[in-house]
Amino acid sequence: SLCNDVESQSECHKSNWGITNMQISLSTLVSHLLDDALETKNMTTLQVGFARSLLSLALEDEKPEGDCSAGLATETGLAGTLSHCFSPQLLLQCAKVRDAVDDYQDGIAPKLRKLLRSRDLLYSDDPEVTYDERSFELGLTDEDSVITNEKMLELIEIIRFRTRIRTARIRCASFNMTTLRLQSSAVGIMPLSSMIMVLMAATGLFVYF
């Protein structure tokens, strides 16, 4: 009979919340910095609005996110246990987020810098204005696409340093425990890459309710 792997689903939600909380913390910090730059007249309203928009784009680009409904209903149990119901597909969602979060955080500041100088993305369709051209119009960059606005440079540096602090602690305890159980059911100790294949395909370690 079907059962719902609510443990893996809960863990998936927690991993997504970890990313969201990190984004909120960073956005709050940046908001304070931009508000101060506006109040002290070191940046204009248009510059601040543009910077906020680009940060939003950088935060959403390649954001790790687990699909917490994928494979919730399952008939899969773990051999050698009485009632351990789990979905291999859902179980992997937390691990996917956990394994991507550090690269994601490290990439936010470089992406913001790249967006400011992008000649591929359009700020406006009619007339066509690229992000790079808009940055120049706003006085954030020079004609060679070099970022010249001091507050913008400070903002990027603060984001770079802040995102090096690993605030999104994603542990995936259920994933770790189940892979240990699978290892004990298998012959020898498998590397993680092999374990992923086991989770997705090796039905010999599973029973069906």
Side-chain angles (χ1 to χ4, degrees), residues 81-130:
T81 68
L82 294 176
S83 60
H84 189 91
C85 168
F86 81 98
S87 164
Q89 184 180 5
L90 184 55
L91 190 69
L92 291 170
Q93 298 303 311
C94 179
K96 180 181 76 173
V97 176
R98 179 197 62 193
D99 294 345
V101 65
D102 287 354
D103 286 342
Y104 166 69
Q105 286 191 208
D106 291 343
I108 293 172
K111 285 175 183 175
L112 180 56
R113 182 183 290 273
K114 184 177 180 180
L115 284 167
L116 278 164
R117 301 182 295 178
S118 174
R119 296 176 180 175
D120 299 320
L121 298 175
L122 289 180
Y123 169 80
S124 171
D125 294 327
D126 187 21
E128 285 195 358
V129 177
T130 65

Side-chain angles (χ1 to χ4, degrees), residues 5 7-13 15-16 64-72 86-100 170-176 178-179 182 191-202 206:
D5 186 359
E7 184 178 1
S8 293
Q9 185 181 55
S10 175
E11 200 163 70
C12 176
H13 284 310
S15 70
N16 287 342
E65 187 170 13
D67 181 351
C68 300
S69 297
L72 174 61
F86 81 98
S87 164
Q89 184 180 5
L90 184 55
L91 190 69
L92 291 170
Q93 298 303 311
C94 179
K96 180 181 76 173
V97 176
R98 179 197 62 193
D99 294 345
I170 300 169
R171 294 182 172 84
C172 304
S174 179
F175 174 85
N176 294 336
T178 302
T179 52
L182 284 169
L192 180 60
S193 58
S194 297
M195 191 58 60
I196 297 299
M197 296 302 296
V198 167
L199 283 170
M200 295 303 292
F206 305 150

Side-chain angles (χ1 to χ4, degrees), residues 19-157:
I19 297 293
T20 299
N21 288 338
M22 183 277 293
Q23 289 182 325
I24 291 172
S25 175
L26 180 61
S27 296
T28 300
L29 172 63
V30 169
S31 182
H32 287 319
L33 294 170
L34 290 175
D35 287 345
D36 179 71
L38 189 58
E39 185 176 341
T40 56
K41 302 187 185 304
N42 287 307
M43 293 183 80
T44 67
T45 302
L46 288 176
Q47 287 174 334
V48 166
F50 191 55
R52 290 186 198 276
S53 298
L54 294 189
L55 176 63
S56 295
L57 289 172
L59 287 174
E60 289 303 311
D61 187 39
E62 298 181 337
K63 179 181 77 173
E65 187 170 13
D67 181 351
C68 300
S69 297
L72 174 61
T74 180
E75 294 181 297
T76 309
L78 187 61
T81 68
L82 294 176
S83 60
H84 189 91
C85 168
F86 81 98
S87 164
Q89 184 180 5
L90 184 55
L91 190 69
L92 291 170
Q93 298 303 311
C94 179
K96 180 181 76 173
V97 176
R98 179 197 62 193
D99 294 345
V101 65
D102 287 354
D103 286 342
Y104 166 69
Q105 286 191 208
D106 291 343
I108 293 172
K111 285 175 183 175
L112 180 56
R113 182 183 290 273
K114 184 177 180 180
L115 284 167
L116 278 164
R117 301 182 295 178
S118 174
R119 296 176 180 175
D120 299 320
L121 298 175
L122 289 180
Y123 169 80
S124 171
D125 294 327
D126 187 21
E128 285 195 358
V129 177
T130 65
Y131 284 16
D132 175 67
E133 290 169 334
R134 184 57 175 166
S135 295
F136 177 66
E137 287 176 356
L138 293 175
L140 297 173
T141 60
D142 64 15
E143 59 186 7
D144 295 319
S145 301
V146 176
I147 300 171
T148 54
N149 183 277
E150 289 187 9
K151 287 299 177 182
M152 195 70 228
L153 289 169
E154 288 176 7
L155 181 68
I156 293 172
E157 173 56 24

